[in-house]
Amino acid sequence: IQGEGGVNMAGQGFFEGLRARSDEKDLILIYDEVQVGLGRTGKLFAHHHTGVEPDAMALAKALANGLPVGALLATEDAARALGPGTHASTFGGGPVIMAAALAVLEELSAPGFLEGVNEVASHLTRGLDALAEESDLVIEHRGLGLIRGLELTVACAGAVEKMLEKGFLVNCTRDNVLRLLPPLIVTKGEVDLLLAALRETLREMADG
């Protein structure tokens, strides 16, 4: 899923083609799961929706719940290409941050946690689908889990400002895609408040 590009979804055939091409040319297939990994899509990693495994995977941001961290996971074969000193970080591996990362992984792996994410995400999906049907300003609603995009017929910078006034942080990508990335612990009640604010914002923008 392209995050900064406007919450664009890649099809199953795209991943299968990447894997086949990488195997054919003896290339390392690397996935960037910085924004979409660690539960964001309702599974631990976004590529779990495809069944197509990478050779290496980049993680950051959510891994330590806001503390500065990054990680590269690799298969044993891919890791052989990384000799001592070729993959390092000045601040990597600090004990406080690693403790935070472990706590995050324990929470994500706790029984029922991802099920809860999916339940709330389904609630959000239904609400955004309804908004897309109601508003002439919405071209399309797309996304997976708790990464969602509303493509508008107009620039969405104004919507970001209006939502902030209503107490909600959203952002605008690709000029006209309103991107929603609620925390994984968001509740259905909070989603309802978000949807109400979005509905009001779209109505205000349509009225000019």
Side-chain angles (χ1 to χ4, degrees):
I1 306 170
Q2 288 183 325
E4 301 304 321
V7 193
N8 297 306
M9 308 283 290
Q12 181 68 21
F14 177 77
F15 293 99
E16 293 172 354
L18 280 177
R19 182 71 273 173
R21 189 68 168 170
S22 298
D23 293 342
E24 176 191 349
K25 299 295 183 180
D26 196 25
L27 303 172
I28 292 178
L29 179 58
I30 303 174
Y31 288 168
D32 174 358
E33 292 257 11
V34 169
Q35 188 169 129
V36 297
L38 297 166
R40 172 59 54 188
T41 65
K43 291 185 180 291
L44 188 57
F45 300 115
H47 75 267
H48 287 169
H49 291 278
T50 72
V52 181
E53 296 291 322
D55 301 304
M57 176 172 56
L59 301 174
K61 294 181 180 178
L63 181 58
N65 208 25
L67 291 176
V69 69
L72 177 71
L73 281 64
T75 64
E76 188 172 349
D77 285 342
R80 291 194 184 99
L82 300 172
T86 60
H87 178 62
S89 169
T90 303
F91 297 105
V96 172
I97 293 174
M98 290 301 96
L102 284 173
V104 169
L105 290 173
E106 288 173 2
E107 188 68 22
L108 287 174
S109 303
F113 184 84
L114 289 179
E115 288 82 357
V117 170
N118 282 305
E119 184 178 344
V120 176
S122 295
H123 185 67
L124 176 61
T125 300
R126 290 190 293 271
L128 291 175
D129 282 342
L131 271 182
E133 288 290 325
E134 293 172 18
S135 177
D136 291 336
L137 291 184
V138 180
I139 297 172
E140 182 184 24
H141 159 230
R142 54 182 179 259
L144 192 62
L146 291 178
I147 175 171
R148 296 284 163 176
L150 283 177
E151 184 175 356
L152 306 182
T153 60
V154 295
C156 57
V160 172
E161 294 176 5
K162 289 178 181 296
M163 289 295 290
L164 184 58
E165 291 171 0
K166 295 174 175 59
F168 293 91
L169 286 170
V170 300
N171 76 333
C172 184
T173 65
R174 218 188 63 190
D175 187 52
N176 69 321
V177 179
L178 202 61
R179 184 174 53 171
L180 309 175
L181 293 162
L184 303 190
I185 57 171
V186 67
T187 66
K188 288 183 179 179
E190 290 166 336
V191 165
D192 288 337
L193 293 174
L194 168 68
L195 292 169
L198 266 176
R199 181 172 284 106
E200 184 180 356
T201 293
L202 292 172
R203 189 179 300 120
E204 290 169 356
M205 292 175 68
D207 292 341

